[in-house]
Amino acid sequence: MEIKKIAVIGSGVMGHGIAQSYALAGIPVNLYDIKEEFLKQALGLVQSNLTLLVKENVITDVQKQDTLKRIRTSTDLEQSVKDADFVTEAIPEIIELKWELYAKLERFCKREAIIASNTSTFPISKLIEKSSTAERMLITHFFNPAQLVPLVEIVKHEYVTDEVLDTTKRLLVKIGKTPIVLRKDVPGFIANRLQAAVVREAFHLLEAGVADAEDIDKAVSAGPGFRWAFCGPIETADFGGLDTWQRVIDNLAPELDQRKTAPTLITQKVEQGKLGTKTGEGIYQYEEETVADRILQRDTNFIRLAKIRQ
């Protein structure tokens, strides 16, 4: 299958970045949302993202303008998807909303159109529960910011065709992503399971007073995180020697946090309404300008890291 046009449903945190990724790779995109104001905000974010890429000499201003021209916005779902070869769903994580959307897509989309969900919450078996077109549905889980992070997790199921899977992988490679395919549909997929394990232990160390938040973050970003940008944990174990890692894990495993729920400190902060950057305070405190500066710094560093990886 050749993908000539994309539709992205939902223009929020993930949707606008996904649409940008496809458009920058030369594929026309119809970006849909329920309100014009959401779409206007999304285009503003895409423009800012592209401006940063120009500043970092990743693309030219001509490429920026061409990319923006490839993104068309609409609040009409049928018009947005009727000629799309590939549809990415990036709506809120409410299963009833997703089922309702899929039912509409079955009526509005071309019979051969691939339907992919960006969910990080629901297993593919749940998403296709009410579908009559399961053979062309799968999950393509992007990571925030979607326009910069290379990883996309593909979650398939027993009914999806090989052609759909192969076409999806080729499409993601074409837009510069690194797709991985899960052989089993497990909660949290791969990356979020690994992240959750690290976050749980990080908060355990913070609660135990081992170090402050800043130093714990540095321990990851300047240590394992530095290595993991090019060498994952399994290959790291190979380099260090499996006999060594056997002893490390045997010694440390009994000492690691074993709780089955979110760390107490996270729960307390949530109860206090201190949710992080979105409320101005979490573990750290933020001013509005500080958040904007940190996001800019983060994205700039991601762009520079991507250049090195390439």
Side-chain angles (χ1 to χ4, degrees):
M1 294 176 62
E2 184 179 0
I3 304 301
K4 296 180 178 179
K5 180 166 282 190
I6 302 280
V8 177
I9 312 303
S11 64
V13 172
M14 298 300 296
H16 78 274
I18 295 172
Q20 176 185 319
S21 298
Y22 288 127
L24 184 57
I27 307 172
V29 179
N30 291 335
L31 180 59
Y32 165 86
D33 216 317
I34 58 175
K35 292 183 180 181
E36 288 286 356
E37 62 186 276
F38 296 162
L39 294 167
K40 184 177 180 180
Q41 182 179 22
L43 285 180
L45 291 171
V46 170
Q47 185 153 355
S48 296
N49 296 338
L50 293 172
T51 298
L52 182 58
L53 291 177
V54 173
K55 181 180 178 182
E56 290 296 315
N57 298 313
V58 176
I59 63 173
T60 65
D61 193 63
V62 172
Q63 288 175 296
K64 169 187 170 180
Q65 298 306 323
D66 288 345
T67 299
L68 290 170
K69 290 175 184 176
R70 292 189 194 105
I71 301 175
R72 291 190 174 185
T73 62
S74 176
T75 56
D76 186 323
L77 179 63
E78 183 173 4
Q79 289 298 314
S80 297
V81 305
K82 69 177 185 178
D83 59 349
D85 303 302
F86 195 98
V87 180
T88 296
E89 168 266 303
I91 68 172
E93 298 287 66
I94 302 172
I95 192 62
E96 291 79 13
L97 290 181
K98 293 182 184 291
W99 283 338
E100 181 182 348
L101 173 63
Y102 300 153
K104 292 178 180 177
L105 294 180
E106 289 177 3
R107 298 200 309 271
F108 298 155
C109 289
K110 298 189 294 188
R111 292 180 60 184
E112 66 274 19
I114 297 172
I115 300 172
S117 174
N118 184 58
T119 186
S120 60
T121 302
F122 297 111
I124 187 63
S125 57
K126 189 73 173 177
L127 296 180
I128 66 173
E129 194 173 290
K130 300 180 183 295
S131 174
S132 60
T133 58
E135 71 280 356
R136 56 189 173 112
M137 293 180 63
L138 39 64
I139 291 171
T140 53
H141 178 222
F142 288 73
F143 287 78
N144 185 35
Q147 72 276 10
L148 297 179
V149 179
L151 179 65
V152 180
E153 295 175 313
I154 300 176
V155 187
K156 63 186 186 71
H157 54 93
E158 60 181 323
Y159 305 112
V160 74
T161 67
D162 289 341
E163 182 183 16
V164 166
L165 180 61
D166 291 343
T167 299
T168 301
K169 289 169 64 177
R170 287 197 303 271
L171 174 63
L172 292 170
V173 170
K174 179 179 179 179
I175 66 172
K177 296 302 181 183
T178 303
I180 63 171
V181 180
L182 274 69
R183 296 181 180 179
K184 293 183 178 180
D185 187 10
V186 295
F189 312 147
I190 296 173
N192 279 341
R193 290 177 75 101
L194 295 172
Q195 286 188 119
V198 173
V199 168
R200 182 176 65 177
E201 188 61 29
F203 273 85
H204 170 66
L205 295 171
L206 183 60
E207 291 170 354
V210 173
D212 61 24
E214 187 174 359
D215 279 348
I216 292 172
D217 279 345
K218 287 178 181 177
V220 175
S221 63
F226 181 86
R227 294 191 298 203
W228 290 343
F230 300 93
C231 178
I234 295 175
E235 191 176 21
T236 295
D238 262 355
F239 281 134
L242 297 182
D243 54 335
T244 299
W245 275 97
Q246 179 188 36
R247 291 191 294 273
V248 169
I249 295 173
D250 280 346
N251 289 333
L252 283 182
E255 305 297 327
L256 298 177
D257 189 24
Q258 303 290 327
R259 80 184 89 192
K260 302 296 184 182
T261 58
T264 303
L265 184 55
I266 290 182
T267 301
Q268 290 174 346
K269 291 290 185 179
V270 170
E271 290 173 349
Q272 295 166 3
K274 299 176 180 178
L275 308 180
T277 57
K278 65 175 72 175
T279 60
E281 182 179 353
I283 304 302
Y284 299 100
Q285 291 193 353
Y286 306 90
E287 300 294 336
E288 187 173 342
E289 298 79 9
T290 305
V291 174
D293 288 343
R294 286 290 291 124
I295 291 174
L296 177 61
Q297 182 183 32
R298 178 201 68 180
D299 290 356
T300 301
N301 287 336
F302 285 169
I303 292 168
R304 293 172 181 174
L305 177 59
K307 287 181 184 179
I308 297 171
R309 286 176 58 88
Q310 290 170 2

